[in-house]
Every structure is written in structure tokens, then in C-alpha cells.
Amino acid sequence: MSLDQALRHQIAFYENKLEYETDSWDLYIALQEGTDIVIVDARSAEAYATEHIPGAISFPHRTITAETAAALNRDRLYVTYCDGIGCNASTKSAVKLARLGFRVKELLGGLDWWKRDGYATEGKEARDGTRVACGCAG
């Protein structure tokens, strides 16, 4: 493989990652700009009730089927999340929703990184946000 071909493959790899993943900074900005996104909390209903990203819907990955997803709008972008890097519920949800024909991105770091970046949460253990500027924004 030539250097030019290798570079094209590398660029395609990174472009594909951005097509299917997002981080808390980009999600926050998209929400502030009014982007039509549905945030999907893929954890249990109990975990959702305890604390979740504002505006997220509770849709545990174990409950996703063609029947339970029938009321969802296929024209919207769905961003799935779970607890964080030690949990794969967001990946399981993303796969299930994509197989059902939905556009999906996975939130890197899940709820853990959302909170680490200083964004507010909702639920029984909700916390106020103390937003930190993204070090990669500039």
C-alpha cells in the first residue's frame, strides 16, 4: 500500500469514528443550538430515575425491539449513552437502533464524562452544572 493510500484509509477511519461517536462537549453544543437529537439513556429505569442527562428518554437496551421502537421518529438522530467506559449498554442500544433503521451516535464516556465535563443532570441525585470549557475546542 502506498503512503497516499494509507493516508486515505486513515482519514476514512477517523471520519467514520466522527460519524458514529460524539462527546459530551459536542452533544451539549448541539443541544444548545437546537439540533434535533433524541438522547437515549440505555441503562435501567432505576438508574435513569437516579440521575440522567437532561432531556434524555429512558429506553433500556434490554427493552429495545421493533415493537417498543415503533413510535420513534426515524428522521431524528439518536444519541445513546450509559454509565461510561466500563459499561456497554450504549453500544448495545446503538446496534439495536441501527438495525431497526435509526441514525445513531454513541456518547463517548457516557454519563460519567458528561458529569466530568461539568454538565448538569436530572433525577433523584441531580446536580447543577459547573461547565468546564473543552480543552479541544480551540
Side-chain angles (χ1 to χ4, degrees):
M1 177 182 309
S2 72
L3 179 58
D4 185 52
Q5 289 172 320
L7 289 173
R8 279 187 273 133
H9 284 280
Q10 185 179 19
I11 291 166
F13 171 80
Y14 290 118
E15 287 175 340
N16 283 331
K17 279 187 71 162
L18 291 173
E19 184 70 25
Y20 304 113
E21 297 174 342
T22 192
D23 63 16
S24 57
W25 170 266
D26 288 337
L27 177 58
Y28 179 82
I29 295 300
L31 292 170
Q32 295 302 304
E33 292 175 349
T35 304
D36 193 15
I37 294 174
V38 178
I39 306 170
V40 177
D41 188 318
R43 304 170 305 146
S44 69
E46 295 79 18
Y48 174 86
T50 300
E51 186 177 32
H52 58 272
I53 293 174
I57 63 169
S58 178
F59 200 0
H61 72 90
R62 288 184 174 90
T63 67
I64 297 174
T65 64
E67 293 76 25
T68 60
L72 298 179
N73 182 340
R74 282 187 169 68
D75 294 331
R76 299 180 80 187
L77 172 63
Y78 292 82
V79 174
T80 63
Y81 77 91
C82 55
D83 285 327
I85 62 173
C87 178
N88 65 4
S90 62
T91 304
K92 290 176 181 178
S93 288
V95 168
K96 288 180 178 181
L97 290 171
R99 284 183 176 156
L100 293 171
F102 295 94
R103 290 182 314 122
V104 184
K105 285 190 177 192
E106 186 175 13
L107 178 62
L108 297 171
L111 183 61
D112 180 38
W113 285 2
W114 177 266
K115 294 189 304 186
R116 285 184 195 208
D117 283 346
Y119 301 115
T121 59
E122 294 177 336
K124 290 185 269 187
E125 295 181 16
R127 63 184 204 96
D128 292 332
T130 54
R131 191 170 145 223
V132 177
C134 177
C136 62

